[in-house]
Amino acid sequence: MMNRVGKNILIIILMALTFVLGVQYASNRKKTGVDMGENDCEIVTFEELSATISSESQQITPTGNSYFDEAETYKGILAEYELAQQSTDELYIPERWKYVDQQMFYVAKEDPLYYSLADLSGNGHPELIIGTIMTESETPAHAHIVSFSAAPLPVGAADYYLWYIYSYDEEEGIDYIERGGNMISIYEGGIIEISRSNYSYYYQYQRDSGELEFLDYFKVKAEIQDDEVKSRSYYRSAQDDSRNDEISENEYWEYMEQYTSRPMELEWELVKGFSEESATGGNRYFDELEAYRNILAEYESAQKSTDKIYSLHNGENVSDLLLHISKEKTLYYSLADLTGDDHMELIVGAVMEELPEADNPLHITPRLSERPAGTKYYDPWVIYSYNEADGIVMSCERGAYGIMLYEEGIVEMSRAWHTYYYQYQKDSGELRFLDHFQINPEIQDSTVLSRIYYRISQDDSRSDEISENEYWDYIRQYTSKPMELEWMPVGAD
């Protein structure tokens, strides 16, 4: 009944690398010139970055983003990448990761990850670059990708695949570019090349704002016969492909020289020493709300299904009983921090249609009778919670019992003459047993003549008779502060 952990994890199949350019910036305005700047991009360390930050006063942008300490943010990102490298999970679970996406999860399991810090924009806020060592077989053979042909590497030197560039933006805070299915190269003056076999985009970090602005877009079309390139046509295009101007090969290479004449030399460090968590203790639900959205989506699908019998889904993070009930009742949900550990619990339930019978010791009866006529009472059916050991778990399921919630994380589960009390623990988020009470009634002609009250141990090995007054003293101890929840229909925006 209690502490049920979902065993089957939602399986995510790794998709083919996207052809879409992975640039996540709001401002991509066309720019006609290139400002190479007077100074080269600066390579920095975390120690230098922290020293600079500590000497500045705290500032907050008009949008409320305060990223003066991007060093700490970057360390958090690197800690998560390190955990991905240590993870024993075979499949990617999106709710466990705030920064590591599906592609990088599998990359981290195959290749050591490296990072570099460099102030690409010259605005005093360094960028964080994530990469892996490029093998000889991975080196691009496309001659027009100048970044890999203009400056041959010394024998034995390593070149790096750039997967992500994280940067600071005054409006957005920490933003990023992702590699996707493309290649990323960096040049002095904050110029970024994003290229594939037959095209290349050029962007530039702006010194004042730190934003990434569009510069140029080039395409190369090749005529191939018998696996040989017979000729090439060169085009300079608008960012949205609304204009494609054919240019000569000489013009093409002049543009390449303009943007790629100074490849940036980065200093790389292994992603290591940022995470204090071990591989076995690396369950990290940075965004448990995303996990809850996935769970609610399954319930919403059940409510909309036209199947007379709803087929059970592959995962066990959804209550089978509640899936079937969703065919007859509208489901509601509520979010509340029952443990006080800053991780919200998800409560899913339905409207209670009938009040408990008078002789049922479900202690909500007096409180309900005092409410105005027509007031809805919501019946919690299942509670999802976070704990460090297991991540998101179905920690409490109603079954044949009624659930009531009280302040300080107390959960009451009642049925007929039995009442159980549990409490969410602040440190671990786990649900711990508190008490179990039983009432034995003497019934004659459907009338209760007397009651005997018992306090029972968790394993039922001990049953102590108590007085009626003692019984109600215990009940008041646990139920004096009923919790008021805000409920929303499942599927509501």
Side-chain angles (χ1 to χ4, degrees):
M1 174 182 68
M2 306 297 299
N3 294 321
R4 175 176 146 187
V5 180
K7 299 176 183 176
N8 294 335
I9 300 173
L10 176 63
I11 298 178
I12 306 281
I13 301 175
L14 183 61
M15 305 298 290
L17 293 178
T18 177
F19 282 14
V20 179
L21 179 66
V23 180
Q24 302 294 320
Y25 289 83
S27 175
N28 283 326
R29 297 184 291 275
K30 183 66 185 287
K31 190 179 174 99
T32 57
V34 183
D35 178 15
M36 297 297 292
E38 296 180 359
N39 300 317
D40 290 347
C41 300
E42 183 183 1
I43 305 295
V44 297
T45 65
F46 273 117
E47 290 74 14
E48 292 169 340
L49 178 57
S50 298
T52 301
I53 291 166
S54 63
S55 67
E56 299 178 5
S57 59
Q58 180 75 4
Q59 295 182 12
I60 298 178
T61 68
T63 57
N65 287 296
S66 178
Y67 278 91
F68 249 102
D69 196 355
E70 66 264 28
E72 288 305 312
T73 303
Y74 290 161
K75 287 178 182 177
I77 294 171
L78 291 169
E80 190 168 304
Y81 277 111
E82 186 176 355
L83 281 175
Q85 293 186 116
Q86 298 171 348
S87 174
T88 57
D89 292 339
E90 294 183 1
L91 297 172
Y92 178 70
I93 306 169
E95 297 85 13
R96 289 191 177 179
W97 309 99
K98 182 176 181 180
Y99 299 107
V100 176
D101 64 12
Q102 183 176 346
Q103 177 176 281
M104 289 305 296
F105 174 78
Y106 291 104
V107 168
K109 296 182 77 67
E110 296 292 333
D111 299 306
L113 298 181
Y114 292 80
Y115 75 93
S116 181
L117 286 171
D119 186 0
L120 304 181
S121 61
N123 67 350
H125 293 281
E127 279 65 44
L128 168 67
I129 303 117
I130 305 293
T132 54
I133 292 179
M134 183 184 297
T135 66
E136 184 177 351
S137 62
E138 294 171 329
T139 303
H142 314 296
H144 69 277
I145 301 182
V146 180
S147 55
F148 294 99
S149 59
L153 292 168
V155 175
D159 205 352
Y160 292 81
Y161 263 132
L162 309 188
W163 290 90
Y164 267 84
I165 302 176
Y166 294 92
S167 61
Y168 168 87
D169 178 272
E170 290 186 357
E171 296 297 325
E172 303 294 335
I174 297 295
D175 216 332
Y176 63 88
I177 308 170
E178 60 178 321
R179 175 181 182 269
N182 304 292
M183 300 292 295
I184 298 178
S185 302
I186 301 175
Y187 301 90
E188 297 292 353
I191 292 178
I192 305 297
E193 175 190 72
I194 300 179
S195 56
R196 205 172 172 84
S197 59
N198 65 335
Y199 63 74
S200 54
Y201 289 82
Y202 292 92
Y203 297 82
Q204 186 177 42
Y205 281 106
Q206 301 304 294
R207 188 178 185 90
D208 294 335
S209 65
E211 293 182 359
L212 196 66
E213 292 200 359
F214 173 76
L215 295 177
D216 250 324
Y217 172 27
F218 299 94
K219 296 179 183 178
V220 179
K221 295 183 180 179
E223 180 187 350
I224 301 175
Q225 186 176 342
D226 298 330
D227 295 328
E228 291 185 7
V229 177
K230 298 297 183 182
S231 64
R232 292 183 177 89
S233 300
Y234 301 88
Y235 298 87
R236 188 185 187 195
S237 304
Q239 185 179 11
D240 59 2
D241 275 337
S242 62
R243 191 193 76 255
N244 288 280
D245 300 328
E246 186 170 359
I247 58 177
S248 68
E249 182 176 359
N250 285 339
E251 288 177 310
Y252 173 81
W253 286 109
E254 285 175 2
Y255 282 118
M256 294 297 104
E257 178 69 17
Q258 177 184 356
Y259 294 129
T260 67
S261 61
R262 296 195 295 165
M264 187 169 184
E265 296 295 331
L266 298 172
E267 296 180 3
W268 294 91
E269 296 286 346
L270 193 65
V271 175
K272 185 178 181 181
F274 293 95
S275 173
E276 297 179 356
E277 298 187 42
S278 66
T280 56
N283 288 291
R284 295 182 64 163
Y285 281 78
F286 274 94
D287 189 2
E288 65 266 20
L289 298 184
E290 182 64 27
Y292 293 158
R293 279 190 284 270
N294 294 337
I295 293 170
L296 290 172
E298 183 71 23
Y299 285 124
E300 183 180 3
S301 176
Q303 290 190 128
K304 293 179 178 179
S305 172
T306 57
D307 297 337
K308 292 184 179 179
I309 299 178
Y310 188 80
S311 58
L312 302 182
H313 83 341
N314 291 330
E316 292 187 3
N317 264 340
V318 173
S319 166
D320 299 343
L321 179 62
L322 197 53
L323 283 175
H324 289 291
I325 287 174
S326 68
K327 305 299 296 180
E328 302 175 358
K329 295 176 177 284
T330 299
L331 299 182
Y332 292 81
Y333 75 93
S334 182
L335 290 169
D337 183 4
L338 305 181
T339 60
D341 64 352
D342 296 326
H343 290 283
M344 304 292 280
E345 275 64 46
L346 169 66
I347 306 106
V348 184
V351 174
M352 181 181 289
E353 297 178 354
E354 297 181 0
L355 298 184
E357 298 177 3
D359 281 334
N360 190 316
L362 191 65
H363 308 296
I364 59 173
T365 306
R367 192 161 63 89
L368 289 175
S369 63
E370 297 172 359
R371 293 195 171 192
T375 299
K376 286 184 178 179
Y377 177 74
Y378 296 91
D379 189 10
W381 281 78
V382 62
I383 303 173
Y384 298 90
S385 61
Y386 165 91
N387 71 65
E388 292 184 358
D390 302 308
I392 298 295
V393 298
M394 185 190 298
S395 57
C396 184
E397 187 175 16
R398 180 183 188 275
Y401 288 74
I403 295 178
M404 277 294 295
L405 300 177
Y406 300 89
E407 297 291 346
E408 299 179 4
I410 293 176
V411 178
E412 174 190 78
M413 300 190 70
S414 301
R415 180 185 181 187
W417 308 102
H418 288 267
T419 307
Y420 294 81
Y421 291 96
Y422 298 83
Q423 186 175 39
Y424 282 104
Q425 302 303 296
K426 184 167 184 175
D427 294 336
S428 64
E430 295 179 354
L431 199 61
R432 184 175 299 173
F433 172 81
L434 293 178
D435 253 324
H436 173 198
F437 300 97
Q438 180 179 341
I439 302 175
N440 287 352
E442 180 186 353
I443 301 175
Q444 185 176 340
D445 299 328
S446 300
T447 301
V448 177
L449 300 180
S450 63
R451 297 179 178 85
I452 302 176
Y453 300 88
Y454 296 91
R455 189 185 188 195
I456 302 172
S457 63
Q458 183 175 9
D459 59 2
D460 289 336
S461 62
R462 193 187 76 252
S463 179
D464 299 327
E465 185 175 347
I466 58 177
S467 68
E468 182 176 1
N469 285 339
E470 288 177 313
Y471 171 82
W472 285 109
D473 284 343
Y474 282 119
I475 299 305
R476 281 188 287 269
Q477 175 186 341
Y478 295 127
T479 66
S480 61
K481 296 189 289 183
M483 192 166 189
E484 298 293 337
L485 299 173
E486 295 182 4
W487 294 86
M488 292 285 292
V490 170
D493 294 333

